[in-house]
Amino acid sequence: DAYHQLRIRNADEMRGRLHITFRNEEGVDAGGLSREFFGILAKEIFNPNYALFTSTEDGCTFQPNQHSIINPDHLSYFRFVGRIVGKAVADGFLLDAHFTRSLYKHMLGLKPTHHDMEAIDPDYYKNLKMIMEYNLADIGLDLTFSIEDHSFGRSQIIDLLPEGRKIPVTDETKAEYVSLVCQHRMTTAIQSQIKAYLDGFYELVSADLISIFTPKELELLISGLPDIDVHDLKKNTDYQGYKATDKEISWFWNILFSLSRSEKAAFLQFATGSSKVPLAGFSELQGMRGIQKFSIHKAGGAPGALMSAHTCFNSLDLPVYKSEDEMREKLLYAISEGATGFMFA
């Protein structure tokens, strides 16, 4: 639905504020719905049914799929993905979307190197490294400036230079060969996909504006800090109805410190609408009023009730509980059952 609604919008319309509503759900978008919208899209971008991206060996990062042509609208989708990433950056929303270092380099106008292949295909990188470090005769390799490609059940020879299949690779030219192989894997084979993605991204974010970043910094700009520092969150938390010295607050932080990494991310998603941390840490947490620190409010009503969150304000309504164990049980239930979806209480 988002694709069909937004692909017809021009760049000026895309720069305006999005107002998100979810079908069959109540909610007023004061920022929280938009964050959930971008969070859902970040997952769908990598849905294998669209054949747009392939994951690296570790499954953590993604690069354009050279076989995405199996999706007849693939270039239009890549432009849409670029627009979504650009819109998130422009509006200050974080995406749980991590691309390969080579794609970040393309976004910055930098040329990937063979070292960037390590994260994409470690075994292939080892083979390339071996080519660079040993004499070709010693490792029994007879190469030409070409590669064999296997796509859709067919094999074909692709020349890396004009008539490359007829040009032998020597120890003197192997560095050029490795460079061209990597250029093909990370650039040439997915050139149309990269171009469509960048066309969409640059509609919302000028290349000049991000040129000051390194690839790693650009990743952090898009996705936020991957590690959740609970000490930093605690330091940047306000209280209403509670004091920092109350036993309920001590219980809360004991629980939060004890959570696993994925549980901490789920809690942050529940409380703020995003499982990632802003570049400058929780002191720069964004709400509907700009920078808005995380806050814990003493909830009224019956003791032992479920806690609730207001993601537009980065606030948590924390009821009174009889014990730390009861609070833990309620918190774990809240982050597992209430992490997505918006309804009025």
Side-chain angles (χ1 to χ4, degrees), residues 7 19 24 27 76 79 102 115 126 128 167 175-176 178 206 222 234 238 247 251 256 262 336:
R7 71 187 180 92
H19 293 275
N24 300 323
S76 180
R79 179 171 172 267
S102 57
H115 297 294
K126 287 178 184 176
L128 295 177
I167 305 173
E176 181 185 8
V178 168
S206 166
I222 293 170
K234 183 178 180 181
D238 295 328
K247 66 179 186 297
W251 293 346
L256 216 60
S262 61
S336 62

Side-chain angles (χ1 to χ4, degrees), residues 221-288:
L221 179 68
I222 293 170
S223 303
L225 294 172
D227 294 318
I228 297 170
D229 185 347
V230 178
H231 290 283
D232 184 47
L233 177 61
K234 183 178 180 181
K235 185 172 66 175
N236 290 286
T237 294
D238 295 328
Y239 304 95
Q240 293 189 21
Y242 283 116
K243 299 189 298 293
T245 54
D246 288 341
K247 66 179 186 297
E248 289 87 355
I249 298 302
S250 296
W251 293 346
F252 174 81
W253 291 115
N254 288 342
I255 294 166
L256 216 60
F257 276 109
S258 70
L259 296 181
S260 68
R261 185 172 177 179
S262 61
E263 287 170 339
K264 289 173 184 174
F267 170 77
L268 202 60
Q269 172 73 36
F270 172 71
T272 71
S274 173
S275 59
K276 299 298 181 183
V277 183
L279 280 173
F282 286 104
S283 64
E284 296 292 324
L285 193 62
Q286 294 290 318
M288 68 171 292

Side-chain angles (χ1 to χ4, degrees), residues 69-330:
I69 194 172
I70 196 171
N71 179 342
D73 297 319
H74 69 131
L75 296 183
S76 180
Y77 274 103
F78 273 111
R79 179 171 172 267
F80 169 72
V81 172
R83 285 178 133 204
I84 290 300
V85 176
K87 180 64 173 171
V89 169
D91 288 2
F93 291 103
L94 297 173
L95 290 175
D96 189 10
H98 296 265
F99 301 105
T100 56
R101 191 59 48 84
S102 57
L103 185 57
Y104 291 123
K105 285 189 173 182
H106 284 302
M107 295 172 73
L108 295 170
L110 305 175
K111 184 178 179 180
T113 70
H114 72 276
H115 297 294
D116 298 314
M117 183 62 69
E118 184 175 15
I120 298 173
D121 191 336
D123 290 334
Y124 195 69
Y125 173 75
K126 287 178 184 176
N127 292 336
L128 295 177
K129 193 175 179 183
M130 187 169 62
I131 289 173
M132 294 292 290
E133 293 177 351
Y134 295 94
N135 292 328
L136 296 179
D138 293 342
I139 53 179
L141 286 180
D142 184 15
L143 303 170
T144 63
F145 277 88
S146 63
I147 58 171
E148 191 171 357
D149 178 67
H150 305 277
S151 301
F152 306 112
R154 295 183 302 172
S155 296
Q156 63 173 329
I157 302 297
I158 297 177
D159 290 320
L160 300 174
L161 291 174
E163 298 294 319
R165 69 193 70 185
K166 299 178 183 178
I167 305 173
V169 177
T170 66
D171 287 320
E172 288 71 31
T173 61
K174 64 184 182 181
E176 181 185 8
Y177 168 80
V178 168
S179 177
L180 289 172
V181 166
C182 292
Q183 180 179 330
H184 176 80
R185 284 282 300 269
M186 294 185 287
T187 304
T188 310
I190 52 176
Q191 197 157 16
S192 59
Q193 292 92 329
I194 291 172
K195 182 181 184 302
Y197 170 82
L198 293 181
D199 284 346
F201 182 79
Y202 292 150
E203 281 186 36
L204 281 302
V205 180
S206 166
D208 291 338
L209 291 178
I210 60 170
S211 63
I212 61 171
F213 297 112
T214 65
K216 182 62 178 177
E217 289 168 341
L218 181 58
E219 179 182 14
L220 293 177
L221 179 68
I222 293 170
S223 303
L225 294 172
D227 294 318
I228 297 170
D229 185 347
V230 178
H231 290 283
D232 184 47
L233 177 61
K234 183 178 180 181
K235 185 172 66 175
N236 290 286
T237 294
D238 295 328
Y239 304 95
Q240 293 189 21
Y242 283 116
K243 299 189 298 293
T245 54
D246 288 341
K247 66 179 186 297
E248 289 87 355
I249 298 302
S250 296
W251 293 346
F252 174 81
W253 291 115
N254 288 342
I255 294 166
L256 216 60
F257 276 109
S258 70
L259 296 181
S260 68
R261 185 172 177 179
S262 61
E263 287 170 339
K264 289 173 184 174
F267 170 77
L268 202 60
Q269 172 73 36
F270 172 71
T272 71
S274 173
S275 59
K276 299 298 181 183
V277 183
L279 280 173
F282 286 104
S283 64
E284 296 292 324
L285 193 62
Q286 294 290 318
M288 68 171 292
R289 303 185 186 117
I291 293 176
Q292 201 156 7
K293 287 185 177 181
F294 174 62
S295 60
I296 298 176
H297 298 242
K298 190 171 187 176
L306 284 175
M307 59 187 71
S308 60
H310 305 276
T311 58
C312 299
F313 305 98
N314 300 324
S315 66
L316 178 73
D317 288 344
L318 185 67
V320 174
Y321 296 106
K322 295 177 182 177
S323 67
E324 185 173 329
D325 287 340
E326 184 186 19
M327 183 183 290
R328 174 186 291 275
E329 178 187 346
K330 299 293 186 181

